[in-house]
Amino acid sequence: MDHTALSSNLVLETLPKTNRPPTDQERAIIQESMSPASEKLKAVEVQISDAIAHIQALKLQIEETENKLRRLCQEEAAILETSANHRRVLSTVRNLPEDVLREICIACVDSEVNVPALFYGDTPLPYRLAQISSGMRHIALTTPLIWASMNIYMDYDCDPLDYTQVCSILASRANRWFERAGGMALTVSITDTTYSYARFQDVQADSSNILFNTLFSYSTCWKRFRFESSCRDELAFPPIIDIRRVSAALSAADLPLLESITLRCECGISMFRNSPIFSIPTLRYLTLDTQWDVWPDGAVISDRREEVSSFDEIARMLRQTKRLVFCDIALAPGSMDSLGEINLPFLEMLRVDDHTFHEAARDLSIFDLINAPILATLRIRAALLDASLANFFERSPGIRVLSISQWKVEEILADITELLCHCPSLSSLNLEPRELWDTVDQPSDANRFLRAFVEDAGAGVTCPRLQSFIYKGNISFSLQTLRQFLEAKQHGTDPLSALLPWKRVFINVGRVDDSEIEKTRDLVSQKQAAGIDIHVYT
């Protein structure tokens, strides 16, 4: 290090530690040492100034570009506005034929489950279709099929003083709705979702007359009628009174097209006891359902037993029918004094939800009374398996589809096997617990049950025409049984065998030995590759 640098460093280290001013020599040394930094600072300041100037130029350029973009957007909007009519004329929707648009509108409302709803304070689906455009409005208002279905929702959780006004408004809308249907066959649904009617007892009994009179004035066009109510006291509220009053007055002449009736009421369906609607010769589809809550052990969660539809009432209603092809009934605890056969010579499908808990052989069952010689589909949901089913199957030998849902179905495999011996035409079998989570702790041994379908023990194979097997219960069986169960009904195994091949097999296995898990999976994969729709869950 030279002397000058040493002197400069010494001066810079010494002077900041004292209060004395620098001498002329020291000042000269300091100024000399600052000269390179000053030159560098000036160069940096020039660069900063240039950068600031460049930024200003860029901001000006951005502003000019933004102004240009704004002018272009304005020009684009003007062009689009000018050509809007041209583009509208050439649009894909406008070019669709009117009949296609009508079919699209019809598809929007074509649902037997979700019938277009009409309720206070909402715009129904058919009217929303009419709001899309003037063209769609014309199509919607001149397509009768769009207006041929309606579900009136009655929810009177509003001020009772508004009750009459709400009924009047709904009646007016329903009248315009059905006028647009132009005399087509109608689907009419009434859904009452009000649970408590206690505070409506002071409402005039005829408050809802205008609504129900409007609906029933179109009865000659009814094809399907559905009434659902959450009411627990049929005498408590005007809608129930009016339904009972009008239904009792209807006759076959008032309902020449009616083919389907659905009644679901928490208070029971006794209000229809004296109605002649069940004897209408066009009636083909009937659903009678009482919403009855029960525990698995059969305990009833209600003390209103006298207010629900009993076995006896439903039996009486079924006897009035003439040509039923579909019947869905729910049996609640109650009187079982009904005597006399229930002849349903045209019935093809029967669903029974049985809550009656008849255990003793002396107890009367609905299956003791029904005579359905051409029945093809039977679905049973019951707390207990009915012992009279064997005789019922003998009277209905053509049953091809059978579904049984029962508490702890795994515990009655022997009884089910005995019943299936009376189903020679069965092609589809579905067995499952009443509730899917209601399974036994220990899986039941199903080896003998499964082998009955493929193993001739001298009395013939059970259900030789069976091709679809679904079991969602908790069971166990050996790999050998599963292999025999699948392969004994396989094409080419035995040309002389009367067994039809499996098409679908669904089994929920409760327990499989660890040593057999992989082999079971391999067997299932092999059968899937051979074309069987098989699923075995372990």
Side-chain angles (χ1 to χ4, degrees), residues 1-10 13:
M1 184 179 296
D2 58 16
H3 179 70
T4 302
L6 180 61
S7 299
S8 175
N9 291 337
L10 181 61
E13 290 179 3

Side-chain angles (χ1 to χ4, degrees), residues 7-24:
S7 299
S8 175
N9 291 337
L10 181 61
V11 170
L12 291 174
E13 290 179 3
T14 303
L15 284 178
K17 298 178 181 179
T18 67
N19 292 326
R20 69 178 180 81
T23 63
D24 292 341

Side-chain angles (χ1 to χ4, degrees), residues 231-345:
C231 173
R232 295 182 179 274
D233 186 352
E234 65 181 65
L235 301 178
F237 201 51
I240 306 301
I241 298 174
D242 289 330
I243 284 286
R244 182 173 55 186
R245 171 182 58 82
V246 180
S247 66
L250 292 175
S251 64
D254 300 312
L255 300 163
L257 304 181
L258 188 65
E259 66 175 33
S260 175
I261 296 177
T262 297
L263 304 175
R264 290 191 173 98
C265 309
E266 286 197 12
C267 65
I269 55 178
S270 59
M271 72 186 80
F272 297 94
R273 181 187 298 111
N274 299 320
S275 174
I277 60 176
F278 301 106
S279 60
I280 295 174
T282 56
L283 183 61
R284 292 163 55 85
Y285 306 91
L286 179 62
T287 298
L288 303 175
D289 185 8
T290 297
Q291 299 176 16
W292 185 262
D293 296 325
V294 295
W295 292 111
D297 61 1
V300 180
I301 316 175
S302 173
D303 57 358
R304 308 177 74 88
R305 179 184 296 259
E306 72 283 354
E307 297 178 1
V308 301
S309 305
S310 68
F311 166 95
D312 184 67
E313 287 179 337
I314 289 181
R316 293 177 187 274
M317 293 175 184
L318 291 180
R319 287 196 188 93
Q320 298 179 55
T321 63
K322 305 298 184 182
R323 300 183 65 87
L324 284 188
V325 297
F326 171 91
C327 183
D328 185 350
I329 57 177
L331 302 172
S335 170
M336 292 190 181
D337 299 329
S338 180
L339 297 176
E341 193 174 55
I342 303 174
N343 283 310
L344 302 173

Side-chain angles (χ1 to χ4, degrees), residues 170-233:
L170 290 178
S172 177
R173 293 178 180 176
N175 185 62
R176 293 196 301 270
W177 186 313
F178 283 150
E179 281 297 317
R180 293 191 176 101
M184 295 198 66
L186 302 177
T187 295
V188 180
S189 301
I190 303 173
T191 302
D192 179 13
T193 59
T194 307
Y195 286 90
S196 176
Y197 297 144
R199 61 192 183 95
F200 293 94
Q201 293 179 353
D202 296 331
V203 177
Q204 294 181 358
D206 60 350
S207 298
S208 60
N209 278 357
I210 184 173
L211 174 59
F212 286 96
N213 287 343
T214 297
L215 296 178
F216 286 103
S217 67
Y218 292 90
S219 64
T220 54
C221 296
W222 287 8
K223 184 177 181 180
R224 302 181 185 91
F225 173 71
R226 183 178 70 187
F227 177 71
E228 298 186 18
S229 176
S230 302
C231 173
R232 295 182 179 274
D233 186 352

